[in-house]
Each structure stands twice: as structure tokens, then as C-alpha cells.
Amino acid sequence: MSTAVGGGRRADAVRNRQLALDAAIALLSDPGATLTVEAIARRAGLGAGTVVRAFGGKDALVDAAVSTLLEPVVTRARDLLAQTSPERALRVFLAELIAFQSAHHSISEQLGGLDLPATTTLRAELVRVVEDMIAGARRDGAVRTDLEPDVIAVLIGESAFAIARSSPASGELAAAYITVMMDGLRPR
Amino acid sequence: MSTAVGGGRRADAVRNRQLALDAAIALLSDPGATLTVEAIARRAGLGAGTVVRAFGGKDALVDAAVSTLLEPVVTRARDLLAQTSPERALRVFLAELIAFQSAHHSISEQLGGLDLPATTTLRAELVRVVEDMIAGARRDGAVRTDLEPDVIAVLIGESAFAIARSSPASGELAAAYITVMMDGLRPR
């Protein structure tokens, strides 16, 4: 009997964890949302205390939600690099990354100050894959050698995010940006 | 006698206005500062009420301070366009603009939601001069014609500000950005 109750509690905990995670992920894609435990709880149909208990705290919950969103982006970058030329991979990935950031930028600006170890690891991995694209394109003669790959990676990271923030709806600016950036990265 | 007192009051008002303006301008260049009436008053050595009275409100004071900083930037852009080729003017101005934004970016992010008519007019004028640089360089065959000048202007505006925000101290990233951007804007 006590085992059955324990099993029910565990099932509840798993269910609450998933509800809280789903709610946090939905909030991350909502341009007008504020990322608070109360907002996540309201959207999940749970109490704030239940949400906090399910993950041990707001940071762990947000970290799980952002990681869930970011992981397929990192996987996609790796796949592109494995499947096509580094230059082509960089160009295609840049367009997809801007679209992704554009859909999530308003919330991503609320992540400052949070302790997000899984997210930090995934972001570092993303930078590493983009640096691999740049280094590969450089070896192929498709990217200039008078600029260091790590400087190019920061340049792309900062400017792509700015374009994503500024044009959540329009693809014209993003397309122009990718054209100018990729042409500008070619050897002179 | 009452005229002398009135004159003294007017002199005080002029002096307080200048003290408040100088303090606001100093705050705009302070990366760690928060742009509040209290912070401006503290730095000016005035009471908060005196600061508000001197300008009729926070918005008018901030507008005067930002305009004072922005006006020479707009004049410089116009001068460059008059003095050298449009492409050269764009390249030189971009470097100076990034240095300017880099020195003031932390505060410029606190301007949202304020009513700043003089600042808005100057910003529009700045965009117009940059569009003139782009249009001139296009006519000279130095900038590609497959992208619209207004799209290029937004592209430059957004990405340059992102670079300025990210590298307040280092010039390497800004130099790399200008190189890639100007090369990418050339006709293929």
C-alpha cells in the first residue's frame, strides 16, 4: 500500500516536472512573457511551490528548458558540418540560427544573472562547431585568412544576434545580412 | 531690488540647468550608472526637485543631454560626406560611430520608453546621412546594387551597435567588423 502511494507520488512528480518544463519552454517562445516562477506555474496549471520543488529551483528549471531548445540547434550545426562543405554549412546554419534566435530573443535577454550550467555548456559547444565551420571554410579557401577564426566567430555571433533581435518577422534583413557577411568573409 | 533678486534667480536657474546637464552627460558615459533623476541630482550636487524644475522633467533633461552628445556625431558624418568619397566617408564614420557607441552603450539601453524628440530627430538625421553615404558609394560603384540602400543602412546600424556593445575596450573586433562589412558591401 505504501509502495503504491510512493509510486503515485513519483508519477506525480514526473508529471509535474514535465508540465513545468513544457510551460517554461512555451514561455521562452513568447515575446511578451516574463520568465518568472509564477508565470511558469500559471501556464503549467501548478502551484509555484510545486514548480520549484519539481526542479529544485528556478535556475535548474530554466536551464532544463533552454537546454531542451538549444540541443537540436547544436545537433543541427554538427550534422550540417558533417554533411556539406564548411562554407555551405556556415551559410545554411547562419540562416537557421537567426530564425531560432528571432523566435526566442526576448526571453534570452532575461537569462542574465541565472546559473545555467547545461545551457552554458551547449553554447560553448555551439561556438566550437561554428569555429570548426570557419576553420574548415578557411582551409577550403572560402574564408579569408587575414582574420583569426575566433574573431570571426565572435563577429558572426554578435552581429547575427543583433539582426535576429531587430527583425523578428522580416526575412529580408536577415538574407541581406547573410549575403554581405558571407561575401565579406571571402578572401579578397 | 526685486529686479536684482529676479536676476539672481535667473542666474541660479541657468547655473542649475547647466550643472544638471553636465551631470546627465557625465552619467551617459558611465558604464555602471543608472540614469535616474536622483543619480543626476547627486552628481550635480543639486536637489532632485531642482533638477526636475530646471528642465521641466526627466525626459527633457535626458533629451538635452543625449542631443548634446549626438549633435557633433551628426555634424562629423555630414562633414565627412562633404570632404571625401562616400565610401571612404562610410568606412571612417563607421569606426568613429562604433567608438562613440562603445563609450555610451550601457546608458543608451536605458533610453527606451522616454520621450526624446530632439534625440529622435538627430537619430533620423544620422540615418539619413548614412543612407546618403551608401547611395553615393553605390553611384561610385563601390557598394553593391543588389541590396536596397535602406536595408543596408539598417543592416549597418544594427550590426555596428552590436559590435560596439560587445567590445567596449578592444578595437580588434571593430576593425574586423568594418573590414568584413565594407568588403561584403562591394559589388561582386
Side-chain angles (χ1 to χ4, degrees), chain A residues 19-34 36-46 51:
Chain A
L19 285 172
L21 185 60
D22 290 348
I25 290 171
L27 272 191
L28 285 166
S29 311
D30 182 343
T34 308
T36 60
V37 168
E38 289 68 29
I40 294 167
R42 205 162 36 242
R43 196 178 274 245
L46 297 171
V51 166

Side-chain angles (χ1 to χ4, degrees), chain B residues 35 37 40 52 55-67 110-119:
Chain B
L35 200 61
V37 168
I40 294 168
V52 168
F55 278 85
K58 179 187 171 184
D59 287 16
L61 168 54
V62 172
D63 198 21
V66 178
S67 302
Q110 299 175 40
L111 301 182
L114 302 183
D115 179 34
L116 309 174
T119 299

Side-chain angles (χ1 to χ4, degrees), chain A residues 65-142:
Chain A
V66 177
S67 301
T68 303
L69 284 169
L70 207 52
E71 183 140 34
V73 177
V74 177
T75 302
R76 170 67 173 157
R78 268 202 223 98
D79 287 351
L80 276 169
L81 190 54
Q83 288 161 6
T84 183
S85 75
E87 186 205 7
R88 174 96 195 128
L90 182 60
R91 181 184 287 268
V92 172
F93 182 64
L94 210 44
E96 294 182 4
L97 181 67
I98 290 174
F100 173 80
Q101 289 176 329
S102 192
H104 302 289
H105 75 91
S106 59
I107 287 286
S108 79
E109 281 155 42
Q110 299 175 41
L111 301 182
L114 302 184
D115 179 33
L116 309 174
T119 300
T120 302
T121 302
L122 277 170
R123 278 188 178 150
E125 175 62 14
L126 193 59
V127 170
R128 206 158 28 235
V129 180
V130 170
E131 283 179 351
D132 284 349
M133 290 176 182
I134 295 164
R138 228 165 168 252
R139 276 193 302 272
D140 292 350

Side-chain angles (χ1 to χ4, degrees), chain A residues 144 158 180 183-184 186 188, chain B residues 144 179-180 183-184 186 188:
Chain A
R144 59 198 308 156
E158 296 293 339
V180 170
D183 283 354
R186 286 183 176 281
R188 301 301 299 166
Chain B
R144 58 200 306 155
T179 297
V180 170
D183 283 353
R186 287 185 175 280
R188 300 301 300 165

Side-chain angles (χ1 to χ4, degrees), chain A residues 35-37 40 52 55-63 110 114 116:
Chain A
L35 200 60
T36 60
V37 168
I40 294 167
V52 168
F55 279 86
K58 178 186 171 183
D59 287 15
L61 167 54
V62 172
D63 197 22
Q110 299 175 41
L114 302 184
L116 309 174

